[in-house]
Each structure stands twice: as structure tokens, then as C-alpha cells.
Amino acid sequence: MRIGIIGAGQMARALGGGWAAAGHEIALGARTSARAEAAAAAIGHGAKATTVAEAVAFGETTLLALPVSALEEVLTEHRETLTGRTLIDCTNAFAPDAGGFKLSEPAVAERIAATVPGARVVKAFNLLAAEVWAGPERVFEGRPLTVPLCGDDAEAVATVAGLAEDLKLRPVPAGDLARARYLEATSAFVVGLWFAGHDARAMFPPLESAFAVADD
Ligand SMILES: NC(=O)c1ccc[n+]([C@@H]2O[C@H](COP(=O)([O-])OP(=O)(O)OC[C@H]3O[C@@H](n4cnc5c(N)ncnc54)[C@H](OP(=O)(O)O)[C@@H]3O)[C@@H](O)[C@H]2O)c1
């Protein structure tokens, strides 16, 4: 698949590196050619360094690997080209403060869908750090790493599920795009715990122990 990546930072490299290694064609668009070239070189496997406009035009699927503050400008400028495309939203609107991490804005994924009404937005990959997505480990404590996906378009969700599988991850459809707000809130909450040095994973028992009484 042709994947356009907008942004040249940690998430662009982490996810782009895995998809390029899985055989996808990558065009990485950044504000400056030097940044695009450095990120494309880090991704390797023939990833192309382009302008933002060229990456948008290239991608059958587009990863928005941008700070939330940049989205409105980029999406508005490229709205026409992005209409009908699958857009992967991995962003988090974090406002770090003394108490941990708080959401600084309303649900980002829904705002993206409102800014580009024809785009097929899928929220994914926002829960974990770029290092985890880039790392070699895909199974922790015997459990495959699961990626929840939220979106309104079943075909786009299936596309992103396939891209998660290409990274040796286990995709799980997790409801419509309105539920992305819970993914965004979960990320703020859990990352706050991790930064405070707590084992967020220990909050949850395994599935078989999650309910005292099984539902019929
Ligand atoms: N890093 C993580 O562990 C992680 C995990 C989950 C989710 N996320 C989310 O993923 C998104 C990207 O994070 P990141 O860590 O990859 O950020 P990053 O390393 O800071 O990279 C952001 C990239 O966006 C580019 N950019 C900023 N404003 C732009 C604009 N107006 N037009 C075009 N490009 C612009 C920057 O360009 P320049 O190079 O020119 O500055 C940079 O290449 C964020 O929303 C973040 O919350 C991050």
C-alpha cells in the first residue's frame, strides 16, 4: 500500500519504519527537506522524502504524525486531497502539568473528521510511546500487544487493522469515532501514571478474572 506520513518525528519513524519493513511504500512529508530526508533515511527500505503536499497526494492511507496544534492548518490546506482517504490519527492533546497529563482539547479525532468531512478517520496507536511501536517486542507476559481502533468507516478500520497486523500487533475494533475520546482520555490517564512511576498494567486483571460472575 502507498502510505503518506505527515511529520518527521518519533511516531513517523516508529510506525513508518515498521510499515516500510513490511513492504509498504512510504512518502514522508515534512516542513523542511532536511527533516524529511533525515526521517526517510531513518525509515529506510526506499522511503521517499517529500513535501507535505506530495506525501498527502501519495498516500492511499495517511498517517498524521503531528502535534495537535498543527492539525487544523495542515488539514485545512489539504482538505480536498484528503477527502475520501483513510486518515490514521495517532495524536494526543496532552498538557503536561504537575499532576500528570491532562487532555488540553476536546476529542482530536472528531475534530479531524469535522475539518475534513469526507475523510475516513481511524484513531489508533495513540496509547503507547513511539519506542514501543518501534521496538522488537510484540508479546508481553504471554499476551500479544493489542491496538484498539475507533472509526466510523468499516473499510478504513479494516485497512488500519491490516497495517497493525503488518507490525505484528493484534488490532481490536473498539467502536465508532465518538469512542476515540475515551482512547484519548485513557492515554492521558495511563501516561500520567507511568510518568509518576506506577505500573498502570497492574490496574487490570486478565480477561478471565475480569468478572466475578460470568454473563450468560
Ligand atoms: N512520541 C510518542 O511516544 C507518541 C506516542 C503516541 C502518540 N503520540 C502523538 O503523535 C503525534 C506526533 O508525535 P511525535 O512524538 O512524533 O512528535 P515529534 O517527534 O515532535 O514530531 C512532530 C513532527 O511534526 C512536524 N510538524 C509540526 N508542526 C507542523 C506543521 N505545521 N506542518 C508540518 N509538520 C509539522 C514537526 O516538524 P519539524 O521537524 O519541522 O519541527 C515534526 O517533524 C503527537 O500528536 C503525539 O501526541 C506520540
Side-chain angles (χ1 to χ4, degrees), residues 2 8 17 21 31-32 36 45 50 94 119 157 191-192 198 204 208:
R2 291 195 316 276
R31 290 189 285 199
T32 65
H45 301 278
T50 68
F94 284 164
V157 170
V191 172
H198 301 300
F204 300 105
E208 55 274 20

Side-chain angles (χ1 to χ4, degrees), residues 10-11 14 128-138:
Q10 294 185 65
M11 289 297 274
L128 302 179
E131 296 90 313
V132 180
W133 304 128
E137 192 67 69
R138 290 292 177 264

Side-chain angles (χ1 to χ4, degrees), residues 3-20:
I3 301 176
I5 297 182
I6 316 304
Q10 294 185 65
M11 289 297 274
R13 292 169 192 228
L15 296 171
W19 288 327

Side-chain angles (χ1 to χ4, degrees), residues 118-144:
R120 307 185 296 167
V121 182
V122 179
K123 187 89 200 184
F125 306 112
N126 70 309
L127 283 186
L128 302 179
E131 296 90 313
V132 180
W133 304 128
E137 192 67 69
R138 290 292 177 264
V139 177
F140 295 93
E141 297 165 15
R143 286 179 250 170

